[in-house]
Amino acid sequence: MPPATKLDEMDISTGKKVRLHRLFYRFGPGRGKTLLLPLDHGVEHGPSDFFDNPDSVDPDYIFKLAVKGKYSGIVLHVGVAEKYFGPYVGRVPLVLKINGKTNIPSDAEAFSALDASVEDAVRLGADAVGYTLYVGSPSQDLDFIQCAEVRRECERLGMPLIIWSYPRGEAIEKKGGRDSLYAVDYAARLSCEMGADVVKLNEPEVDNPKKSDEPKQYSGLDISLEEAVGKVVRSAGKTLVLFSGGSKISDEDLLAKAELCMNAGAAGLIFGRNMWQRLWDDALEITSKVQDLMKKA
Ligand code: FBP
C-alpha cells in the first residue's frame, strides 16, 4: 500500500498547517495520524443515539472522554461548542461541523444546510471545519455551490476543510449502493476535486450484490477489503483520508476495522458511537487499544 500523504507534502497555507499539526501531531496518537471523537449525532440522528449509554446525552461527559482518552479532536456543532468548549480549551482541539441535517425526511434529496460559518470556527478557536457533501444527491448542484463558498472562506482564514463525503440518493442506490466501492471511490475523488484537506469516508463494501447500473469497471473487480480501502485512499490523492466507525460493533470487529484502514493508508479514524455508546471504562479501554494500534501503523 502507498504511504499516507504527510502534512509536509501538502501545498497548503501556514494557517492550515498550524491547525492540522495540532490535529495530526500534537494531540492524539500523533506521528501524522488523527483520532477524532464526533458528537454531531444530536443533529444527524437525534437523541435516540444516546439511549445505549444515557450519560452520553451530556456533552460534558463526551468532552471528559475526549480529554481522558487523549483524542486528537472533538467534532461539534456550534451551539454545543459555544456552551461546553470553554473549560476544555487547550486540552482537546475542536473541529466545528458547520452544516447538518436531521434524519427525519428521507435521504432522496439529501442536502446539508449551513448552520454556522468558517468565521464561527475562527471565533471559537477551532482547528478545522467539517462539511457534509452528499455525493450524487439530486441537490448536489446546490451542495457544490455551498461547499465552494466554504472552501473559499477556509482558504481566506487558513482553516482546514474536512469533507464528510457521503454518497446518497436513489441514483447511487441503483449503481451499487452508498457503501459500494464505486460510490466510496467516487466520494474520495470528489473530495479531492472539491478542495478538501481531509476527507471522512465510510469503509467500502466489497461483497455487496452487484447492481445492473453499476459501472463495468467496478462490477468486474475482485479485490479484498484492504485493497478496496487502499484504492479509495489513492483516489483521494493528497487529501488525507479518515474512516468512520458507523453504528456500534463488537470490540473485535472495531479493532479489526481500525487496523485494516490504517494498514491500507488511512491518515486517521473518526469513531463516535463506537466509543461513547460504550460505558465509561469500556470506552476508555477500546480507545486506548485503538490508539496503540494507530501508533504502530
Ligand atoms: P460514527 O462513528 O458514530 O458513525 O460517527 C461518524 C459520523 O460521520 C458522524 O459524524 C455522523 O453523525 C454520523 O457518522 C453519520 O452516520 P450515518 O451515515 O449513519 O447517518
Side-chain angles (χ1 to χ4, degrees):
M1 292 298 161
T5 305
K6 304 276 184 306
L7 203 47
D8 286 348
E9 296 165 10
M10 293 170 76
D11 190 11
I12 52 175
S13 67
T14 305
K16 284 192 179 196
K17 261 191 189 165
V18 168
R19 292 183 164 103
L20 286 178
H21 193 271
R22 278 195 281 266
L23 294 174
F24 284 84
Y25 290 90
R26 169 84 183 78
F27 287 84
R31 295 174 53 247
K33 313 282 175 207
T34 196
L35 177 63
L36 299 178
L37 187 64
L39 179 67
D40 56 340
H41 304 67
V43 175
E44 300 296 331
H45 302 157
S48 56
D49 274 2
F50 307 132
F51 279 40
D52 276 46
N53 174 8
D55 288 335
S56 66
V57 74
D58 179 3
D60 206 42
Y61 173 87
I62 310 288
F63 262 107
K64 289 191 170 85
L65 177 61
V67 170
K68 186 88 180 156
K70 299 188 170 62
Y71 280 81
S72 313
I74 186 168
V75 184
L76 303 172
H77 276 274
V78 63
V80 174
E82 280 173 348
K83 290 181 176 60
Y84 291 88
F85 187 38
Y88 299 95
V89 165
R91 299 163 73 193
V92 63
L94 169 69
V95 174
L96 191 70
K97 188 78 202 318
I98 61 168
N99 69 342
K101 69 162 190 55
T102 72
N103 68 359
I104 299 168
S106 86
D107 265 355
E109 306 208 354
F111 175 73
S112 205
L114 289 177
D115 63 344
S117 64
V118 183
E119 285 191 348
D120 283 323
V122 172
R123 175 176 59 83
L124 285 161
D127 282 321
V129 295
Y131 180 94
T132 298
L133 179 72
Y134 287 116
V135 180
S137 161
S139 307
Q140 72 176 10
D141 293 3
L142 262 184
D143 219 343
F144 276 27
I145 294 166
Q146 184 175 261
C147 185
E149 279 164 15
V150 168
R151 177 186 52 73
R152 280 191 287 272
E153 279 294 276
C154 284
E155 290 303 330
R156 187 173 74 83
L157 296 166
M159 181 64 67
L161 171 61
I162 307 180
I163 292 188
W164 273 230
S165 199
Y166 282 178
R168 286 289 187 278
E170 201 185 321
I172 204 72
E173 293 311 318
K174 287 191 182 142
K175 292 189 170 185
R178 62 171 72 169
D179 294 322
S180 64
L181 177 55
Y182 162 66
V184 179
D185 207 25
Y186 210 150
R189 182 61 184 210
L190 189 65
S191 69
C192 178
E193 306 275 355
M194 293 285 116
D197 301 298
V198 181
V199 61
K200 177 214 158 292
L201 299 169
N202 289 316
E203 197 182 53
E205 287 175 355
V206 286
D207 52 1
N208 50 352
K210 301 295 172 210
K211 300 273 171 69
S212 54
D213 289 347
E214 192 171 33
K216 64 175 187 317
Q217 293 86 342
Y218 289 86
S219 57
L221 278 182
D222 180 21
I223 60 175
S224 69
L225 180 56
E226 186 162 340
E227 287 167 335
V229 171
K231 177 168 178 23
V232 308
V233 169
R234 280 195 299 284
S235 293
K238 286 190 178 178
T239 297
L240 303 171
V241 180
L242 315 181
F243 285 96
S244 65
S247 51
K248 194 166 81 176
I249 52 179
S250 71
D251 287 16
E252 201 183 25
D253 288 348
L254 189 70
L255 292 170
K257 176 181 200 159
E259 190 163 23
L260 184 143
C261 291
M262 297 313 296
N263 287 343
L269 303 168
I270 170 163
F271 286 176
R273 287 166 287 176
N274 269 290
M275 299 315 199
W276 46 254
Q277 284 184 347
R278 285 172 160 80
L279 299 180
W280 180 257
D281 288 343
D282 296 340
L284 282 178
E285 192 183 329
I286 191 94
T287 299
S288 140
K289 287 182 178 165
V290 170
Q291 295 259 15
D292 285 348
L293 73 83
M294 290 182 82
K295 284 175 192 156
K296 283 185 209 136

